[in-house]
Amino acid sequence: MSFRFNDIDHIQLAAPKGKEKEAREFFCGILRMEEIEKPVALKTNGGAWFKSGNVQIHVGIEEPFSPSKKAHPAFKIENLEGLKQHLTKHKILFIEDHLLPGANRIHIHDPFGNRIELLEWKPSR
């Protein structure tokens, strides 16, 4: 039987217990994502879910908590320069990375220290 992967349903990031407010401030307030309702059966676990377009980030509670420093999601962005200006305005630090040929990309960290890659592919010549 053959099969294939078509898309990513969601990305799970971890956060310390009781940090849902900070997650909402960052993912909704800074990254302009929309919070989506968690299924009733999962609400008791804490955390929060966010969406933008076809991208979902599920922030789950992990105890003991340890942020992902190397492992990370990478999101394709339209108008990375505009996003960099927006992040600067909100005092969100980012690291520019020019090591991937054909891509403009930066790395940021969520309020819990998880690494997130944001990239925009350069048009082909």
Side-chain angles (χ1 to χ4, degrees):
M1 175 185 280
S2 72
F3 62 90
R4 67 183 181 151
F5 292 88
N6 288 328
D7 208 347
I8 292 176
D9 183 75
H10 69 275
I11 301 294
Q12 174 86 27
L13 294 176
K17 186 176 182 175
K19 297 295 184 176
E20 290 85 354
K21 179 182 179 210
E22 289 90 336
R24 287 179 181 99
E25 289 171 352
F26 182 76
F27 290 102
C28 293
I30 301 296
L31 296 186
R32 298 181 178 163
M33 298 185 107
E34 159 191 2
E35 185 170 4
I36 56 176
E37 193 75 22
K38 288 181 66 172
V40 173
L42 298 176
K43 284 185 179 183
T44 59
N45 297 337
W49 291 5
F50 307 95
K51 178 180 176 179
S52 178
N54 291 328
V55 174
Q56 282 193 32
I57 297 176
H58 296 181
V59 176
I61 302 305
E62 186 175 285
E63 291 293 331
F65 171 72
S66 180
S68 293
K69 298 292 185 185
K70 181 77 174 170
H72 64 277
F75 299 108
K76 290 182 186 177
I77 300 296
E78 185 176 319
N79 191 9
L80 185 65
E81 290 304 315
L83 175 60
K84 288 169 27 179
Q85 291 173 10
H86 176 76
L87 294 172
T88 300
K89 176 182 170 186
H90 290 279
K91 298 180 175 56
I92 303 296
L93 299 176
F94 57 86
I95 299 167
E96 295 196 53
D97 181 341
H98 304 287
L99 298 176
L100 183 61
N104 291 324
R105 69 181 182 161
I106 62 173
H107 299 275
I108 63 172
H109 290 88
D110 72 10
F112 320 112
N114 295 306
R115 181 179 170 202
I116 299 172
E117 182 177 333
L118 305 162
L119 72 153
E120 181 174 45
W121 291 100
K122 297 174 188 173
S124 299
R125 293 182 187 205

